[in-house]
Amino acid sequence: MYKDLREFIERVDALHALRRIEGADPHFEVGGITEVAAGRPDCPALLFDAIKGFPRGFRVFTNAATSPQRAALALGIDPALRPLDALKAWMEKRKTLTPRPPVTVKDAAFLRNTSKTVDLTRFPAPIWHRHDGGPYIGSGSIVIMRDPDGGWINASIYRVQVHGPRQATVQFDHAGRHGAIIARKYWERGEPCPLVVVSGEDPALFIAGFEYLPAGQSEYEFAGAIKGAPIEVFPGPLTGLPIPAHAEIVFEGHLPPQITLPEGPFGEFTGYYASDARPAPVMEVAATYHRDDPILLGSPPMKPPRFHFGLPFRAATIWQNLDAAGVTDVVGAWQHVSQLMPVVALKQRYDGHAKRAALVAAAHSYMARIVVVVDDDVDPSNLSDVMWAVATRCEPSEQVDILRNAWSSALDPRIPPQDKLDGITSHSKLIIEACRPFPWFDKFPPTSALSLDEARAIEEKWGGLL
């Protein structure tokens, strides 16, 4: 496995999936290039250098794991696997992960450059979307905190907006996030909350940072499990918090109680702005550290289907929930339009099998407005295949249903503003059974297309020439 972000970038380059960009403006242009590249069929990773207004060597890396290939690479899975096969491989690996506690080392690469005068504006924090409230140095950063009661370390991803040379806001999204709970514990004691922001961690830590782990479970241990080796950490000189030794850019400081600044707005993963500027806790930065030629890891939310990770972890959860509910013969699950359109593929065994799968998937799909079920000859990860099934196998008058008052979020752009103010965040879900009708399944016209196994065989034999 890769040792750090730099080794990961080298491996991405070896796959011919890296593009180097020079001279881009951090005000919208870096974000714009990132979004355009993410929407291309090859979806390359980008390494920006010579960024306008900043010295050469202060770099930004984006689209790190937006493709299934690079997501598999980050997880330590064969990047040559088809997307659905890579997701299956991750599900199997996830079952056998063994937590590996971090190990403390005596030196850290980020200590090579320690600023005597704190100035966050030295780093090329992009304004990712045109109407964002300011520069965000933290779109893929991990924020490290220690629970004052249990002593466990939380290292999750929260967005971080720069407000000046020594101040940044940390947006915890809602009061139930672990970071918000930990900060509140310090504030209730009348104490500032110590924290560290890392903008340039390795991909395993990035994955652990957005994975939903229970309170008390260490993201460091999860990342170590992914890599099959412990994460090396170094105690922060001011806070004592464990910092990844190979981190690129590190800020150390505190969140004082009862001090806020307007944060946002910020473009969300739905492709819309969900709210105006709102108060967020302020980090008083006391020290900055960085490696030589530092690399800021950027992972801005983008208009779907672009997403920060190329394998849909939530689809794996839906798949597992279908198995737990006793829905047999599920051969695949995926999510399109970020996580807003889950698709389940199954081998039909009885009349009502597809509807049962759809209802279970709908019940476990956060914010999803459309749920699709397809036959086992359709690759759920291929949106063109899915829509082929919808257009040729679904009879709308018989195979379409609507569920009302279903689970959603304040991020949903279709919920009326007044409803959000009143705390109403439910919506309806459209269920589409894009399956051959079970009662006359055998009489349905045979397909002329390759089966999934036939397509795999062709790719294995001839893929190098295609």
Side-chain angles (χ1 to χ4, degrees), residues 143-155 177-186 188-189 191 193-195 215-217 219 241-242:
V143 177
I144 303 167
M145 308 165 76
R146 176 181 279 112
D147 182 81
D149 296 331
W152 62 278
I153 297 296
N154 180 241
R177 294 293 299 272
H178 293 155
I181 293 171
I182 290 172
R184 195 161 56 248
K185 288 182 179 181
Y186 284 95
E188 288 172 350
R189 301 177 185 194
E191 302 173 4
C193 173
L195 78 163
Q217 186 170 338
E219 284 82 8
L241 289 166

Side-chain angles (χ1 to χ4, degrees), residues 51-72:
I51 296 169
K52 184 178 179 181
F54 296 88
R56 178 177 292 277
F58 279 65
R59 298 171 289 173
V60 176
F61 181 54
T62 66
N63 289 346
T66 51
S67 73
Q69 178 195 52
R70 295 194 297 280

Side-chain angles (χ1 to χ4, degrees), residues 385-408:
D385 279 7
V386 171
M387 295 311 298
W388 169 70
V390 170
T392 62
R393 299 184 183 181
C394 175
E395 171 51 53
S397 65
E398 299 173 2
Q399 294 172 287
V400 171
D401 289 284
I402 296 176
L403 300 179
R404 289 174 171 79
N405 198 33
W407 182 31
S408 188

Side-chain angles (χ1 to χ4, degrees), residues 154-335:
N154 180 241
S156 295
I157 291 178
Y158 302 108
R159 68 192 197 210
V160 180
Q161 179 181 346
V162 175
H163 288 268
R166 301 180 64 92
Q167 288 187 319
T169 49
V170 179
Q171 180 56 262
F172 292 121
D173 300 327
H174 61 78
R177 294 293 299 272
H178 293 155
I181 293 171
I182 290 172
R184 195 161 56 248
K185 288 182 179 181
Y186 284 95
W187 298 337
E188 288 172 350
R189 301 177 185 194
E191 302 173 4
C193 173
L195 78 163
V196 169
V197 173
V198 175
S199 297
E201 70 278 12
D202 80 42
L205 280 166
F206 174 68
I207 293 164
F210 68 71
E211 180 72 327
Y212 291 147
L213 300 179
Q217 186 170 338
S218 166
E219 284 82 8
Y220 281 130
E221 292 185 3
F222 188 78
I226 291 174
K227 298 180 75 170
I231 302 297
E232 295 182 347
V233 297
F234 184 86
L238 301 182
T239 63
L241 289 166
I243 303 172
H246 303 288
E248 294 285 336
I249 301 169
V250 176
F251 307 148
E252 202 174 14
H254 296 79
L255 295 176
Q258 298 181 339
I259 297 180
T260 64
L261 282 172
E263 189 272 348
F266 190 59
E268 300 287 355
F269 75 92
T270 58
Y272 297 89
Y273 287 91
S275 63
D276 295 326
R278 50 182 170 160
V282 175
M283 178 184 186
E284 299 287 353
V285 181
T288 64
Y289 319 94
H290 66 85
R291 296 178 66 165
D292 293 335
D293 299 325
I295 305 170
L296 189 154
L297 175 61
S299 184
M302 294 179 282
K303 174 187 172 183
R306 306 157 187 86
F307 199 53
H308 64 86
F309 200 68
L311 293 176
F313 281 4
R314 305 296 171 258
T317 302
I318 292 170
W319 196 341
Q320 292 162 349
N321 287 331
L322 286 162
D323 287 341
V327 180
T328 62
D329 295 281
V330 174
V331 299
W334 203 261
Q335 286 176 312

